[in-house]
């Protein structure tokens, strides 16, 4: 291997690691964005269904019961989704950190 190849090899490895890191970052951000969009869509649908049911009720007792059920299911959904988003963002941070380490030039 000549001197030019010796100089090019680390640069090429660094470039490949940077591209792999960028691809991983892009995939993670797409996953997170999709999860947020799906959750938003679910919230909108549930809210629409709640208001539709609410307008058909005849008593305040029924309305209070429906509102209590809606609040309880909403709380449970927020807890579940929060755990999911925490895992997604944790994976993003971990993989980003690993990508940064991979792209750092090796100490010699």
């Amino acid at each position: 291997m000549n001197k030019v190849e010796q100089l090019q090899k680390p640069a090429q490895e660094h470039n490949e690691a940077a591209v792999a890191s960028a691809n991983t970052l892009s995939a993670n951000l797409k996953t997170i964005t999709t999860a947020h969009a799906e959750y938003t869509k679910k919230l909108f649908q549930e809210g629409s269904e709640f208001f539709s049911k609410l307008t058909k009720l005849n008593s305040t007792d029924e309305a209070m019961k429906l509102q209590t059920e809606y609040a309880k299911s909403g709380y449970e959904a927020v807890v579940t989704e929060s755990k999911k988003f925490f895992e997604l963002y944790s994976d993003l941070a971990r993989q980003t950190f690993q990508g940064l380490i991979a792209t750092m030039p090796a100490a010699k």
Side-chain angles (χ1 to χ4, degrees):
M1 187 179 318
N2 65 32
K3 291 195 184 248
V4 173
E5 290 173 343
Q6 287 176 343
L7 292 173
Q8 287 177 339
K9 185 177 179 185
Q12 183 179 3
E13 290 172 354
H14 177 75
N15 187 39
E16 289 171 359
V19 169
S21 179
N23 288 339
T24 301
L25 176 66
S26 175
N28 283 339
L29 290 175
K30 182 177 180 184
T31 300
I32 291 170
T33 302
T34 301
H36 277 290
E38 289 172 356
Y39 183 56
T40 301
K41 181 179 177 182
K42 177 183 170 188
L43 287 177
F44 182 75
Q45 289 173 341
E46 289 174 353
S48 295
E49 290 171 6
F50 168 73
F51 282 110
S52 176
K53 290 177 185 177
L54 189 62
T55 58
K56 296 175 184 173
L57 298 178
N58 296 326
S59 72
T60 55
D61 288 339
E62 291 175 345
M64 291 300 291
K65 182 179 177 184
L66 179 65
Q67 195 280 332
T68 301
E69 291 171 1
Y70 179 70
K72 181 181 177 186
S73 68
Y75 173 77
E76 291 169 353
V78 165
V79 170
T80 301
E81 292 297 318
S82 294
K83 288 178 184 178
K84 178 181 172 181
F85 288 127
F86 176 78
E87 291 173 10
L88 290 172
Y89 281 106
S90 294
D91 287 344
L92 173 66
R94 181 180 44 79
Q95 291 177 357
T96 300
F97 181 73
Q98 288 174 344
L100 288 173
I101 296 299
T103 60
M104 294 176 86
K108 294 186 180 184

